[in-house]
Amino acid sequence: MVRGKRFGVLLCAEDSDYVKKRYGGYFGVFVGMLAEEGEVWDVFKVADGEFPDDDEIVEFDGFVITGSCSDAHGNDAWICRLVSLLNKLDSLKKKVLGICFGHQILSRALGGKTGRAIFGWDIGITTVHLSSSSSKLFSSLKIPTSLSIIECHRDEVREVAPEGEVMAWSEKTGVEMFRVGDHIMGIQGHPEYTNDILVHLIDRLSKKSFITESYADELKAKLEKVEADKDAWKKLCISFLKGRLP
């Protein structure tokens, strides 16, 4: 019997009650976007110290690293352990897709630099521009050279890893996407988010005084007028993670 592909989600954030109730947690959000029939998906709550064993890693076809409230440039024990794991996955040439914090921690693990974003918070739907080489890479997917994506971050990749290639940028962020070889890819935005998840996060940021209430209202008003290119991002992420790109 042919074994179905197996993927792991490295969960770097605590699930909010809203996301747990509506989507079954962020694991459910990612599975909803990426999983296909016959595959096995597992979750490792790395922020709580739950990691795959070394001998278990080889059984996986790929991993996804989620967003987080933590800083990718921090030195919490679990973050340092995650950096070590990502170096192992790189040496094994395992497919790894990093999202937001995941994008940043991937860059850090492979020798890049991360830190607070020069232009501060980027929240809402942002237009991302693909490089010419990225457009060529994704040409079989028939997606536009500019894509809108949901963003919610105040940190960024400042320099990609020495072997990395910048794949996309935006008005606020110089490294919206990067890749290393054909097995590592980071995306600063959130292709997995829906508008309601972002509204929920905006409300949480406002209540915790990370952003002002008036700014939160302004952001939510803008969301009513635009949509992210979710189908294109889904196609892009699945094609990368499952080795379907040329």
PDB file of all heavy atoms in Angstrom, residues 189-216:
ATOM      1  N   GLY A 189       3.247  37.579   5.131  1.00  0.00           N
ATOM      2  CA  GLY A 189       1.801  37.711   5.338  1.00  0.00           C
ATOM      3  C   GLY A 189       1.154  36.417   5.791  1.00  0.00           C
ATOM      4  O   GLY A 189       1.830  35.415   6.048  1.00  0.00           O
ATOM      5  N   HIS A 190      -0.168  36.450   5.868  1.00  0.00           N
ATOM      6  CA  HIS A 190      -0.937  35.301   6.344  1.00  0.00           C
ATOM      7  C   HIS A 190      -1.881  34.779   5.265  1.00  0.00           C
ATOM      8  O   HIS A 190      -3.053  35.176   5.205  1.00  0.00           O
ATOM      9  CB  HIS A 190      -1.753  35.686   7.579  1.00  0.00           C
ATOM     10  CG  HIS A 190      -0.951  35.844   8.824  1.00  0.00           C
ATOM     11  ND1 HIS A 190      -0.622  34.769   9.628  1.00  0.00           N
ATOM     12  CD2 HIS A 190      -0.405  36.932   9.402  1.00  0.00           C
ATOM     13  CE1 HIS A 190       0.092  35.193  10.662  1.00  0.00           C
ATOM     14  NE2 HIS A 190       0.240  36.507  10.552  1.00  0.00           N
ATOM     15  N   PRO A 191      -1.407  33.878   4.393  1.00  0.00           N
ATOM     16  CA  PRO A 191      -2.285  33.324   3.362  1.00  0.00           C
ATOM     17  C   PRO A 191      -3.422  32.495   3.947  1.00  0.00           C
ATOM     18  O   PRO A 191      -4.450  32.287   3.297  1.00  0.00           O
ATOM     19  CB  PRO A 191      -1.341  32.453   2.521  1.00  0.00           C
ATOM     20  CG  PRO A 191      -0.194  32.141   3.429  1.00  0.00           C
ATOM     21  CD  PRO A 191      -0.035  33.347   4.299  1.00  0.00           C
ATOM     22  N   GLU A 192      -3.248  32.037   5.186  1.00  0.00           N
ATOM     23  CA  GLU A 192      -4.254  31.168   5.826  1.00  0.00           C
ATOM     24  C   GLU A 192      -5.375  31.957   6.498  1.00  0.00           C
ATOM     25  O   GLU A 192      -6.443  31.394   6.798  1.00  0.00           O
ATOM     26  CB  GLU A 192      -3.568  30.252   6.860  1.00  0.00           C
ATOM     27  CG  GLU A 192      -3.268  30.861   8.216  1.00  0.00           C
ATOM     28  CD  GLU A 192      -2.075  31.803   8.279  1.00  0.00           C
ATOM     29  OE1 GLU A 192      -1.550  32.202   7.212  1.00  0.00           O
ATOM     30  OE2 GLU A 192      -1.677  32.152   9.404  1.00  0.00           O
ATOM     31  N   TYR A 193      -5.165  33.243   6.738  1.00  0.00           N
ATOM     32  CA  TYR A 193      -6.155  34.038   7.481  1.00  0.00           C
ATOM     33  C   TYR A 193      -7.376  34.370   6.630  1.00  0.00           C
ATOM     34  O   TYR A 193      -7.289  34.534   5.409  1.00  0.00           O
ATOM     35  CB  TYR A 193      -5.539  35.371   7.937  1.00  0.00           C
ATOM     36  CG  TYR A 193      -4.785  35.319   9.247  1.00  0.00           C
ATOM     37  CD1 TYR A 193      -4.546  34.121   9.905  1.00  0.00           C
ATOM     38  CD2 TYR A 193      -4.295  36.485   9.814  1.00  0.00           C
ATOM     39  CE1 TYR A 193      -3.836  34.103  11.097  1.00  0.00           C
ATOM     40  CE2 TYR A 193      -3.585  36.472  11.009  1.00  0.00           C
ATOM     41  CZ  TYR A 193      -3.362  35.276  11.639  1.00  0.00           C
ATOM     42  OH  TYR A 193      -2.667  35.259  12.824  1.00  0.00           O
ATOM     43  N   THR A 194      -8.496  34.501   7.318  1.00  0.00           N
ATOM     44  CA  THR A 194      -9.708  35.051   6.739  1.00  0.00           C
ATOM     45  C   THR A 194      -9.905  36.439   7.352  1.00  0.00           C
ATOM     46  O   THR A 194      -9.286  36.766   8.364  1.00  0.00           O
ATOM     47  CB  THR A 194     -10.919  34.170   7.060  1.00  0.00           C
ATOM     48  OG1 THR A 194     -10.967  33.977   8.491  1.00  0.00           O
ATOM     49  CG2 THR A 194     -10.820  32.803   6.382  1.00  0.00           C
ATOM     50  N   ASN A 195     -10.779  37.250   6.754  1.00  0.00           N
ATOM     51  CA  ASN A 195     -11.002  38.596   7.270  1.00  0.00           C
ATOM     52  C   ASN A 195     -11.499  38.580   8.708  1.00  0.00           C
ATOM     53  O   ASN A 195     -11.135  39.429   9.522  1.00  0.00           O
ATOM     54  CB  ASN A 195     -12.000  39.349   6.384  1.00  0.00           C
ATOM     55  CG  ASN A 195     -11.331  39.944   5.155  1.00  0.00           C
ATOM     56  OD1 ASN A 195     -10.267  39.501   4.739  1.00  0.00           O
ATOM     57  ND2 ASN A 195     -11.952  40.949   4.554  1.00  0.00           N
ATOM     58  N   ASP A 196     -12.331  37.589   9.055  1.00  0.00           N
ATOM     59  CA  ASP A 196     -12.874  37.562  10.420  1.00  0.00           C
ATOM     60  C   ASP A 196     -11.794  37.249  11.453  1.00  0.00           C
ATOM     61  O   ASP A 196     -11.838  37.757  12.573  1.00  0.00           O
ATOM     62  CB  ASP A 196     -14.048  36.572  10.538  1.00  0.00           C
ATOM     63  CG  ASP A 196     -13.631  35.129  10.351  1.00  0.00           C
ATOM     64  OD1 ASP A 196     -13.294  34.765   9.222  1.00  0.00           O
ATOM     65  OD2 ASP A 196     -13.645  34.363  11.342  1.00  0.00           O
ATOM     66  N   ILE A 197     -10.802  36.433  11.081  1.00  0.00           N
ATOM     67  CA  ILE A 197      -9.680  36.174  11.997  1.00  0.00           C
ATOM     68  C   ILE A 197      -8.903  37.467  12.225  1.00  0.00           C
ATOM     69  O   ILE A 197      -8.521  37.788  13.356  1.00  0.00           O
ATOM     70  CB  ILE A 197      -8.747  35.074  11.450  1.00  0.00           C
ATOM     71  CG1 ILE A 197      -9.455  33.702  11.488  1.00  0.00           C
ATOM     72  CG2 ILE A 197      -7.445  35.012  12.249  1.00  0.00           C
ATOM     73  CD1 ILE A 197      -8.624  32.578  10.900  1.00  0.00           C
ATOM     74  N   LEU A 198      -8.685  38.229  11.147  1.00  0.00           N
ATOM     75  CA  LEU A 198      -7.954  39.485  11.293  1.00  0.00           C
ATOM     76  C   LEU A 198      -8.737  40.490  12.148  1.00  0.00           C
ATOM     77  O   LEU A 198      -8.152  41.163  13.001  1.00  0.00           O
ATOM     78  CB  LEU A 198      -7.643  40.085   9.925  1.00  0.00           C
ATOM     79  CG  LEU A 198      -6.830  41.390   9.957  1.00  0.00           C
ATOM     80  CD1 LEU A 198      -5.507  41.202  10.705  1.00  0.00           C
ATOM     81  CD2 LEU A 198      -6.575  41.914   8.557  1.00  0.00           C
ATOM     82  N   VAL A 199     -10.041  40.575  11.947  1.00  0.00           N
ATOM     83  CA  VAL A 199     -10.862  41.476  12.771  1.00  0.00           C
ATOM     84  C   VAL A 199     -10.739  41.096  14.246  1.00  0.00           C
ATOM     85  O   VAL A 199     -10.584  41.957  15.119  1.00  0.00           O
ATOM     86  CB  VAL A 199     -12.345  41.438  12.327  1.00  0.00           C
ATOM     87  CG1 VAL A 199     -13.242  42.123  13.366  1.00  0.00           C
ATOM     88  CG2 VAL A 199     -12.506  42.121  10.979  1.00  0.00           C
ATOM     89  N   HIS A 200     -10.774  39.805  14.526  1.00  0.00           N
ATOM     90  CA  HIS A 200     -10.619  39.317  15.892  1.00  0.00           C
ATOM     91  C   HIS A 200      -9.262  39.736  16.463  1.00  0.00           C
ATOM     92  O   HIS A 200      -9.169  40.190  17.614  1.00  0.00           O
ATOM     93  CB  HIS A 200     -10.765  37.794  15.900  1.00  0.00           C
ATOM     94  CG  HIS A 200     -10.345  37.133  17.166  1.00  0.00           C
ATOM     95  ND1 HIS A 200     -11.016  37.283  18.352  1.00  0.00           N
ATOM     96  CD2 HIS A 200      -9.295  36.311  17.440  1.00  0.00           C
ATOM     97  CE1 HIS A 200     -10.405  36.589  19.306  1.00  0.00           C
ATOM     98  NE2 HIS A 200      -9.359  35.998  18.774  1.00  0.00           N
ATOM     99  N   LEU A 201      -8.190  39.618  15.668  1.00  0.00           N
ATOM    100  CA  LEU A 201      -6.852  40.005  16.120  1.00  0.00           C
ATOM    101  C   LEU A 201      -6.742  41.515  16.330  1.00  0.00           C
ATOM    102  O   LEU A 201      -6.106  41.970  17.291  1.00  0.00           O
ATOM    103  CB  LEU A 201      -5.805  39.549  15.101  1.00  0.00           C
ATOM    104  CG  LEU A 201      -5.493  38.053  15.097  1.00  0.00           C
ATOM    105  CD1 LEU A 201      -4.598  37.712  13.924  1.00  0.00           C
ATOM    106  CD2 LEU A 201      -4.833  37.633  16.401  1.00  0.00           C
ATOM    107  N   ILE A 202      -7.360  42.281  15.449  1.00  0.00           N
ATOM    108  CA  ILE A 202      -7.357  43.744  15.600  1.00  0.00           C
ATOM    109  C   ILE A 202      -8.003  44.136  16.924  1.00  0.00           C
ATOM    110  O   ILE A 202      -7.493  44.984  17.660  1.00  0.00           O
ATOM    111  CB  ILE A 202      -8.075  44.413  14.408  1.00  0.00           C
ATOM    112  CG1 ILE A 202      -7.228  44.283  13.142  1.00  0.00           C
ATOM    113  CG2 ILE A 202      -8.361  45.890  14.706  1.00  0.00           C
ATOM    114  CD1 ILE A 202      -7.948  44.684  11.863  1.00  0.00           C
ATOM    115  N   ASP A 203      -9.120  43.494  17.242  1.00  0.00           N
ATOM    116  CA  ASP A 203      -9.804  43.780  18.512  1.00  0.00           C
ATOM    117  C   ASP A 203      -8.911  43.423  19.707  1.00  0.00           C
ATOM    118  O   ASP A 203      -8.861  44.163  20.703  1.00  0.00           O
ATOM    119  CB  ASP A 203     -11.125  43.007  18.592  1.00  0.00           C
ATOM    120  CG  ASP A 203     -12.199  43.601  17.687  1.00  0.00           C
ATOM    121  OD1 ASP A 203     -12.085  44.791  17.332  1.00  0.00           O
ATOM    122  OD2 ASP A 203     -13.148  42.866  17.345  1.00  0.00           O
ATOM    123  N   ARG A 204      -8.205  42.302  19.618  1.00  0.00           N
ATOM    124  CA  ARG A 204      -7.316  41.890  20.705  1.00  0.00           C
ATOM    125  C   ARG A 204      -6.159  42.876  20.873  1.00  0.00           C
ATOM    126  O   ARG A 204      -5.787  43.235  21.997  1.00  0.00           O
ATOM    127  CB  ARG A 204      -6.767  40.486  20.438  1.00  0.00           C
ATOM    128  CG  ARG A 204      -7.794  39.370  20.582  1.00  0.00           C
ATOM    129  CD  ARG A 204      -7.194  38.012  20.270  1.00  0.00           C
ATOM    130  NE  ARG A 204      -6.201  37.611  21.256  1.00  0.00           N
ATOM    131  CZ  ARG A 204      -5.365  36.585  21.094  1.00  0.00           C
ATOM    132  NH1 ARG A 204      -5.396  35.888  19.973  1.00  0.00           N
ATOM    133  NH2 ARG A 204      -4.506  36.268  22.041  1.00  0.00           N
ATOM    134  N   LEU A 205      -5.586  43.320  19.752  1.00  0.00           N
ATOM    135  CA  LEU A 205      -4.481  44.283  19.812  1.00  0.00           C
ATOM    136  C   LEU A 205      -4.944  45.610  20.410  1.00  0.00           C
ATOM    137  O   LEU A 205      -4.216  46.253  21.169  1.00  0.00           O
ATOM    138  CB  LEU A 205      -3.911  44.515  18.409  1.00  0.00           C
ATOM    139  CG  LEU A 205      -3.124  43.349  17.792  1.00  0.00           C
ATOM    140  CD1 LEU A 205      -2.807  43.629  16.330  1.00  0.00           C
ATOM    141  CD2 LEU A 205      -1.837  43.083  18.567  1.00  0.00           C
ATOM    142  N   SER A 206      -6.160  46.007  20.077  1.00  0.00           N
ATOM    143  CA  SER A 206      -6.715  47.244  20.608  1.00  0.00           C
ATOM    144  C   SER A 206      -6.959  47.144  22.116  1.00  0.00           C
ATOM    145  O   SER A 206      -6.616  48.049  22.876  1.00  0.00           O
ATOM    146  CB  SER A 206      -8.023  47.580  19.877  1.00  0.00           C
ATOM    147  OG  SER A 206      -8.634  48.716  20.430  1.00  0.00           O
ATOM    148  N   LYS A 207      -7.519  46.012  22.534  1.00  0.00           N
ATOM    149  CA  LYS A 207      -7.805  45.822  23.965  1.00  0.00           C
ATOM    150  C   LYS A 207      -6.531  45.786  24.800  1.00  0.00           C
ATOM    151  O   LYS A 207      -6.519  46.193  25.959  1.00  0.00           O
ATOM    152  CB  LYS A 207      -8.601  44.532  24.171  1.00  0.00           C
ATOM    153  CG  LYS A 207     -10.063  44.643  23.767  1.00  0.00           C
ATOM    154  CD  LYS A 207     -10.782  43.318  23.870  1.00  0.00           C
ATOM    155  CE  LYS A 207     -12.218  43.430  23.368  1.00  0.00           C
ATOM    156  NZ  LYS A 207     -12.900  42.121  23.331  1.00  0.00           N
ATOM    157  N   LYS A 208      -5.447  45.292  24.194  1.00  0.00           N
ATOM    158  CA  LYS A 208      -4.166  45.222  24.907  1.00  0.00           C
ATOM    159  C   LYS A 208      -3.329  46.496  24.719  1.00  0.00           C
ATOM    160  O   LYS A 208      -2.179  46.558  25.147  1.00  0.00           O
ATOM    161  CB  LYS A 208      -3.361  44.008  24.426  1.00  0.00           C
ATOM    162  CG  LYS A 208      -4.004  42.676  24.823  1.00  0.00           C
ATOM    163  CD  LYS A 208      -3.154  41.507  24.363  1.00  0.00           C
ATOM    164  CE  LYS A 208      -3.765  40.175  24.811  1.00  0.00           C
ATOM    165  NZ  LYS A 208      -2.943  39.015  24.396  1.00  0.00           N
ATOM    166  N   SER A 209      -3.930  47.494  24.041  1.00  0.00           N
ATOM    167  CA  SER A 209      -3.303  48.808  23.821  1.00  0.00           C
ATOM    168  C   SER A 209      -2.049  48.754  22.951  1.00  0.00           C
ATOM    169  O   SER A 209      -1.189  49.638  23.038  1.00  0.00           O
ATOM    170  CB  SER A 209      -2.979  49.477  25.167  1.00  0.00           C
ATOM    171  OG  SER A 209      -4.173  49.691  25.894  1.00  0.00           O
ATOM    172  N   PHE A 210      -1.940  47.711  22.103  1.00  0.00           N
ATOM    173  CA  PHE A 210      -0.844  47.688  21.130  1.00  0.00           C
ATOM    174  C   PHE A 210      -1.135  48.681  20.007  1.00  0.00           C
ATOM    175  O   PHE A 210      -0.217  49.238  19.403  1.00  0.00           O
ATOM    176  CB  PHE A 210      -0.659  46.281  20.550  1.00  0.00           C
ATOM    177  CG  PHE A 210       0.038  45.332  21.480  1.00  0.00           C
ATOM    178  CD1 PHE A 210      -0.629  44.233  22.006  1.00  0.00           C
ATOM    179  CD2 PHE A 210       1.362  45.531  21.828  1.00  0.00           C
ATOM    180  CE1 PHE A 210       0.014  43.349  22.871  1.00  0.00           C
ATOM    181  CE2 PHE A 210       2.027  44.656  22.685  1.00  0.00           C
ATOM    182  CZ  PHE A 210       1.339  43.569  23.208  1.00  0.00           C
ATOM    183  N   ILE A 211      -2.430  48.858  19.697  1.00  0.00           N
ATOM    184  CA  ILE A 211      -2.856  49.859  18.722  1.00  0.00           C
ATOM    185  C   ILE A 211      -4.020  50.640  19.335  1.00  0.00           C
ATOM    186  O   ILE A 211      -4.690  50.149  20.252  1.00  0.00           O
ATOM    187  CB  ILE A 211      -3.290  49.222  17.379  1.00  0.00           C
ATOM    188  CG1 ILE A 211      -4.460  48.246  17.578  1.00  0.00           C
ATOM    189  CG2 ILE A 211      -2.117  48.527  16.709  1.00  0.00           C
ATOM    190  CD1 ILE A 211      -5.021  47.672  16.292  1.00  0.00           C
ATOM    191  N   THR A 212      -4.272  51.846  18.837  1.00  0.00           N
ATOM    192  CA  THR A 212      -5.358  52.659  19.390  1.00  0.00           C
ATOM    193  C   THR A 212      -6.713  52.169  18.881  1.00  0.00           C
ATOM    194  O   THR A 212      -6.799  51.524  17.825  1.00  0.00           O
ATOM    195  CB  THR A 212      -5.190  54.134  18.992  1.00  0.00           C
ATOM    196  OG1 THR A 212      -5.307  54.253  17.565  1.00  0.00           O
ATOM    197  CG2 THR A 212      -3.844  54.671  19.448  1.00  0.00           C
ATOM    198  N   GLU A 213      -7.750  52.504  19.611  1.00  0.00           N
ATOM    199  CA  GLU A 213      -9.101  52.103  19.225  1.00  0.00           C
ATOM    200  C   GLU A 213      -9.501  52.750  17.891  1.00  0.00           C
ATOM    201  O   GLU A 213     -10.137  52.113  17.049  1.00  0.00           O
ATOM    202  CB  GLU A 213     -10.089  52.505  20.317  1.00  0.00           C
ATOM    203  CG  GLU A 213     -11.457  51.882  20.155  1.00  0.00           C
ATOM    204  CD  GLU A 213     -12.365  52.140  21.353  1.00  0.00           C
ATOM    205  OE1 GLU A 213     -11.847  52.247  22.491  1.00  0.00           O
ATOM    206  OE2 GLU A 213     -13.586  52.254  21.128  1.00  0.00           O
ATOM    207  N   SER A 214      -9.098  54.001  17.692  1.00  0.00           N
ATOM    208  CA  SER A 214      -9.444  54.685  16.437  1.00  0.00           C
ATOM    209  C   SER A 214      -8.755  54.031  15.241  1.00  0.00           C
ATOM    210  O   SER A 214      -9.343  53.897  14.161  1.00  0.00           O
ATOM    211  CB  SER A 214      -9.070  56.169  16.516  1.00  0.00           C
ATOM    212  OG  SER A 214      -7.684  56.330  16.739  1.00  0.00           O
ATOM    213  N   TYR A 215      -7.486  53.605  15.441  1.00  0.00           N
ATOM    214  CA  TYR A 215      -6.771  52.913  14.367  1.00  0.00           C
ATOM    215  C   TYR A 215      -7.430  51.567  14.076  1.00  0.00           C
ATOM    216  O   TYR A 215      -7.568  51.170  12.909  1.00  0.00           O
ATOM    217  CB  TYR A 215      -5.309  52.732  14.759  1.00  0.00           C
ATOM    218  CG  TYR A 215      -4.436  52.094  13.699  1.00  0.00           C
ATOM    219  CD1 TYR A 215      -4.537  52.458  12.360  1.00  0.00           C
ATOM    220  CD2 TYR A 215      -3.494  51.124  14.046  1.00  0.00           C
ATOM    221  CE1 TYR A 215      -3.731  51.881  11.393  1.00  0.00           C
ATOM    222  CE2 TYR A 215      -2.675  50.543  13.082  1.00  0.00           C
ATOM    223  CZ  TYR A 215      -2.803  50.922  11.759  1.00  0.00           C
ATOM    224  OH  TYR A 215      -2.017  50.353  10.800  1.00  0.00           O
ATOM    225  N   ALA A 216      -7.855  50.877  15.131  1.00  0.00           N
ATOM    226  CA  ALA A 216      -8.546  49.594  14.958  1.00  0.00           C
ATOM    227  C   ALA A 216      -9.820  49.774  14.130  1.00  0.00           C
ATOM    228  O   ALA A 216     -10.108  48.977  13.225  1.00  0.00           O
ATOM    229  CB  ALA A 216      -8.874  48.990  16.321  1.00  0.00           C
TER     230      ALA A 216
END
